[in-house]
Amino acid sequence: MQDRKSHHRDGGWEVFAHGTDIGVRGFGETRAVAFEETAYALTSAMTDPANVRQADEIDIVCSAPNDELLLREWLNAVIGEMTKRDMLFSRFSVQIHEHGLTGRAWGEAVEEDRHTPAVAIRSATETELSVARDTEGCWVAQCVLDV
């Protein structure tokens, strides 16, 4: 398990063990920041995001009937773009509107020697899938990744 880290002053992320799979969790003052932070956690499950340059920009659009399924769709879209393009991402921007999300991811092509990916992530699952406010009003978005 990694310590809670942040790429926003109003958010954070963490990776947690879940049997043979890996859980990711993002925190933020808004749902959008929590979704961005969850994507950072996804990258950190594979490699150190600090080693991934923001050379290329990819647009991502997805929709779902509720926040939980939207988080899963977002993470699966990020995973799909990384797989299709053989890339890793280290910066994310998300805007949520009703049942949709428009996002952007910045990253670069995988360089095995520099990035040394630890795992291959197959998908975001519905296991422990949750998007809700905690007792302090902070948004928490999480799910388990199939590795």
Side-chain angles (χ1 to χ4, degrees), residues 7 40 49-58 87-93 104-109 114-115:
H7 285 271
Y40 287 115
N51 292 335
V52 180
R53 293 185 292 248
Q54 299 169 18
D56 297 309
E57 180 179 327
I58 307 298
M87 291 180 72
L88 292 167
F89 298 118
S90 63
R91 181 174 160 216
F92 303 91
S93 174
R104 206 166 261 160
W106 289 263
E108 66 175 329
R114 187 163 53 86
H115 296 128

Side-chain angles (χ1 to χ4, degrees), residues 98-111:
E98 294 185 30
H99 300 292
L101 177 152
T102 54
R104 206 166 261 160
W106 289 263
E108 66 175 329
V110 174
E111 293 180 20

